[in-house]
């Protein structure tokens, strides 16, 4: 069980560190507070990873994510599938592919099963280059999450998995009846002009 912090986070962080959580007030719904905290943590970790990748390897996070997807699929991926996995436009994938192919890190070929599609795979040089960066990247993530114990990380992982399943079902089912009106704040308190959603 994750222990509840005895001291409000606003008293543990400086004003310039609290970030997006400053938008939440006591009267806001707990779901909004969770969302802003999750967003603040994600943004903070991503910003630091971007900074370190740029400094240590001269690499963008988009390039790292692209190479990571291909590393997970040694047989290669269609560019349309790569676009879906990365959640970016086909144009972005094409631009990255052009750059990485020019550097000899990926190989683009016509898909044997669909001559209208292209398939992309890592070259041996690309695999070796990515694995070097990935090992360092993993160490950074371990370091950044070191504030949580093993059990806490496991529990958080399970909770976020539950949330992802719920979100996936919500996307498939579409908006629920009455979902346009936000639920009242938890605890029966009346909200006083809470923050707008991001």
């Amino acid at each position: 069980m994750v222990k509840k912090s005895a001291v409000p986070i606003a008293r543990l962080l400086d004003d310039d560190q609290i970030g997006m959580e400053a938008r939440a007030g006591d009267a806001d719904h707990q779901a909004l507070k969770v969302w802003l905290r999750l967003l603040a943590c994600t943004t903070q970790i991503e910003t630091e990873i971007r900074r370190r990748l740029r400094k240590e390897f001269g690499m963008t996070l988009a390039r790292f994510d692209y190479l990571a997807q291909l590393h997970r699929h040694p047989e290669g991926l269609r560019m349309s599938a790569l676009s879906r996995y990365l959640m970016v436009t086909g144009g972005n994938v094409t631009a990255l592919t052009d750059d990485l192919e020019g550097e000899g890190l990926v190989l683009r070929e016509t898909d044997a099963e669909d001559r209208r599609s292209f398939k992309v795979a890592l070259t041996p040089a690309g695999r070796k280059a990515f694995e070097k960066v990935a090992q360092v990247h993993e160490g950074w993530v371990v370091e950044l999450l070191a504030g949580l114990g093993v059990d806490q990380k496991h529990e958080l992982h399970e909770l976020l998995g539950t949330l992802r399943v719920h979100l996936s079902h919500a996307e498939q089912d579409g908006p629920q009846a009455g979902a346009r009106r936000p639920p009242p704040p938890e605890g029966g308190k009346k909200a006083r002009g809470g923050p707008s959603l991001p």
Side-chain angles (χ1 to χ4, degrees):
M1 189 74 163
V2 176
K3 293 180 181 178
K4 187 176 179 181
S5 176
V7 183
I9 193 168
R11 288 173 53 192
L12 298 173
L13 298 175
D14 297 332
D15 286 345
D16 61 341
Q17 294 176 312
I18 193 70
M20 295 170 189
E21 287 200 66
R23 293 161 51 185
D26 291 341
D28 288 312
H29 197 282
Q30 187 65 28
L32 180 58
K33 294 177 186 178
V34 170
W35 161 238
L36 290 174
R37 178 160 294 177
L38 183 61
L39 187 59
C41 288
T42 302
T43 301
Q44 196 168 350
I45 292 170
E46 184 177 308
T47 298
E48 181 60 14
I49 293 292
R50 284 182 188 276
R51 185 190 71 78
R52 294 186 188 192
L53 280 172
R54 190 169 51 248
K55 180 181 177 185
E56 298 294 325
F57 300 102
M59 177 182 283
T60 64
L61 185 57
R63 176 179 283 221
F64 179 86
D65 289 341
Y66 177 109
L67 294 172
Q69 286 296 339
L70 291 184
H71 190 267
R72 291 186 190 102
H73 297 87
E75 72 285 359
L77 283 171
R78 287 182 182 172
M79 290 180 68
S80 57
L82 191 52
S83 178
R84 283 197 311 274
Y85 287 147
L86 296 172
M87 294 184 284
V88 298
T89 66
N92 287 338
V93 167
T94 298
L96 274 169
T97 302
D98 290 344
D99 290 345
L100 293 166
E101 188 177 32
E103 295 173 28
L105 300 178
V106 303
L107 179 65
R108 173 173 32 191
E109 295 181 318
T110 304
D111 189 343
E113 296 178 5
D114 182 356
R115 306 297 293 176
R116 299 166 299 173
S117 301
F118 286 102
K119 205 167 186 180
V120 189
L122 289 176
T123 63
R127 180 166 296 277
K128 183 178 179 181
F130 172 75
E131 287 173 353
K132 177 184 175 183
V133 179
Q135 185 175 11
V136 177
H137 173 273
E138 182 177 354
W140 292 340
V141 174
V142 170
E143 174 195 337
L144 291 169
L145 297 183
L148 296 175
V150 173
D151 290 343
Q152 291 174 316
K153 283 194 278 275
H154 179 76
E155 183 175 0
L156 182 57
H157 185 258
E158 292 296 314
L159 290 171
L160 291 175
T162 300
L163 177 59
R164 287 214 66 190
V165 171
H166 166 76
L167 293 172
S168 178
H169 290 162
E171 287 174 1
Q172 293 171 12
D173 297 341
Q176 300 292 320
R180 293 188 188 96
R181 179 179 298 170
E186 292 175 349
K189 297 179 182 176
K190 185 178 180 182
R192 300 187 305 262
S196 58
L197 288 171

